[in-house]
């Protein structure tokens, strides 16, 4: 059974199976609030074969190893 937990102040969620998804959030589109639906992030492999995802919070992007995220959250 896949269990989801919050990651990075509620911007993302990570599962016990190693999946990462963004959450639904309200954002401004040209000054008008709108709902941006959360999506499951695409997992890629780095040069050492570890799965990674790109996390973006407040305009700052970072590539994180999925196994490190799962270890931090669980």
């Amino acid at each position: 059974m896949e269990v989801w937990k919050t990651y990075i102040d509620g911007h993302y969620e990570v599962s016990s199976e190693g999946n990462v998804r963004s959450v639904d959030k309200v954002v401004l589109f040209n000054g008008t609030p709108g709902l941006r639906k959360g999506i499951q992030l695409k997992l890629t492999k780095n040069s050492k074969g570890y799965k990674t995802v790109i996390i973006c919070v407040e305009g700052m992007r970072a590539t994180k190893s999925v196994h490190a995220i799962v270890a931090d959250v669980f």
Side-chain angles (χ1 to χ4, degrees):
M1 178 178 193
E2 192 169 28
V3 178
W4 291 89
K5 291 194 177 184
T6 302
Y7 177 63
I8 304 186
D9 299 326
H11 291 280
Y12 294 93
E13 292 179 335
V14 63
S15 78
S16 56
E17 300 292 322
N19 296 309
V20 182
R21 66 183 178 195
S22 60
V23 297
D24 295 347
K25 56 187 161 189
V26 176
V27 295
L28 294 177
F29 295 106
N30 297 327
T32 305
L35 180 67
R36 176 173 284 168
K37 294 288 288 178
I39 60 168
Q40 184 145 345
L41 301 182
K42 181 181 176 184
L43 301 177
T44 58
K45 289 186 179 180
N46 65 11
S47 61
K48 295 181 181 179
Y50 291 107
K51 292 181 183 176
T52 61
V53 291
I54 297 174
I55 302 291
C56 184
V57 177
E58 297 179 13
M60 301 296 293
R61 295 174 57 145
T63 302
K64 301 281 187 176
S65 295
V66 174
H67 72 277
I69 295 171
V70 172
D72 286 344
V73 173
F74 288 91

